[in-house]
Amino acid sequence: MEQQSAVSIDVIALRYGRDDNTVTVGIAPRQWDPFAGELALPGVLLHRGERLDAAARRAVSTKLGVPEDAIIAVGQLATFDEPNRDPRGPTLSIAMWAVVADHPADTAQWLPFDQLPHLAFDHNQIVTVGRRRLAEMLWKDLTFTRALTGPLFPATRAVELTAALHDTRPDPGNLNRTLAALPGLARTGERVRVKATGRPAAMWSFTPPDGLP
């Protein structure tokens, strides 16, 4: 009888807190074989009847130690169907993204995209493909974008966020035009000095959804 593929949910968990200089990705050592002790993205096997959103949240919570209430938003990225990606047998991987808020502590290592080491399974490939998809989503997918920026953010945060996902610093004029054209986003007229030696940065604010504060 032909062996059926299991479905794995592997998550690129992103953190960009108030005190973070750039976007970082959460990884942690695997507890069990295969690849016990090796660093990997948080991943779980999909339970029967479980939604992808719930599985992604479970992976981030159990594998990275992130409190469930700190997981702001999750979404789907891509599917990886290489039959030999898992030495245990055929496993279909559905890659997801998650954005986590500031929280007291967890068990993960949080590293910038360009500083990630070799990861178990095909997780480096997942990160490479996922980063490109996330760059395409930035400033277009409002759920993803707002989860990273927060409702109010300085222009410098938009620059660093764009640079982290695109792997190149954006042209300031082009970025300003992109922000100005985004539905529900407006320049406040305020300026905030983000760094002691830097120029004051313009502030941008999302309109509260559905009249919420």
Side-chain angles (χ1 to χ4, degrees):
M1 186 176 181
E2 184 177 356
Q3 184 176 3
Q4 297 295 311
S5 296
V7 177
S8 173
I9 305 300
D10 297 303
V11 186
I12 300 178
L14 305 174
R15 188 186 73 181
Y16 192 23
R18 290 185 300 271
D19 299 324
D20 294 331
N21 293 323
T22 188
V23 179
T24 52
V25 179
I27 55 176
R30 283 183 52 79
Q31 292 185 318
W32 316 105
D33 284 326
F35 309 116
E38 293 191 27
L39 292 167
L41 297 174
V44 293
L45 292 178
L46 185 67
H47 289 166
R48 183 183 297 274
E50 187 177 28
R51 304 298 294 267
L52 299 181
D53 180 295
R57 292 174 180 274
R58 177 165 60 89
V60 174
S61 177
T62 59
K63 299 301 178 68
L64 300 184
V66 174
E68 292 186 11
D69 60 2
I71 304 172
I72 303 174
V74 301
Q76 190 172 344
L77 276 174
T79 300
F80 295 81
D81 61 356
E82 165 56 49
N84 299 317
R85 61 176 303 277
D86 189 327
R88 293 170 294 187
T91 304
L92 182 71
S93 172
I94 298 178
M96 306 283 288
W97 61 265
V99 176
V100 304
D102 285 329
H103 52 279
D106 56 46
T107 55
Q109 294 185 37
W110 295 92
L111 297 173
F113 278 101
D114 294 332
Q115 295 181 23
L116 290 174
H118 173 75
L119 302 176
F121 300 103
D122 56 351
H123 288 186
N124 289 96
Q125 180 188 4
I126 291 176
V127 169
T128 298
V129 173
R131 185 182 189 180
R132 290 198 299 265
R133 298 285 178 87
L134 293 171
E136 294 170 356
M137 291 166 53
L138 184 63
W139 313 122
K140 296 177 183 177
D141 184 315
L142 294 185
T143 299
F144 171 68
T145 298
R146 182 169 170 150
L148 281 170
T149 64
L152 180 68
F153 61 93
T156 50
R157 186 174 178 87
V159 170
E160 296 302 330
L161 177 54
T162 303
L165 295 183
H166 285 267
D167 196 23
T168 184
R169 297 192 74 78
D171 176 80
N174 289 339
L175 180 58
N176 279 332
R177 284 188 287 274
T178 296
L179 296 180
L182 200 65
L185 183 65
R187 194 165 173 167
T188 67
E190 300 179 50
R191 287 184 172 271
V192 174
R193 190 179 299 277
V194 179
K195 297 181 181 179
T197 58
R199 296 173 57 187
M203 295 296 293
W204 292 83
S205 176
F206 276 105
T207 302
D210 301 325
L212 296 177

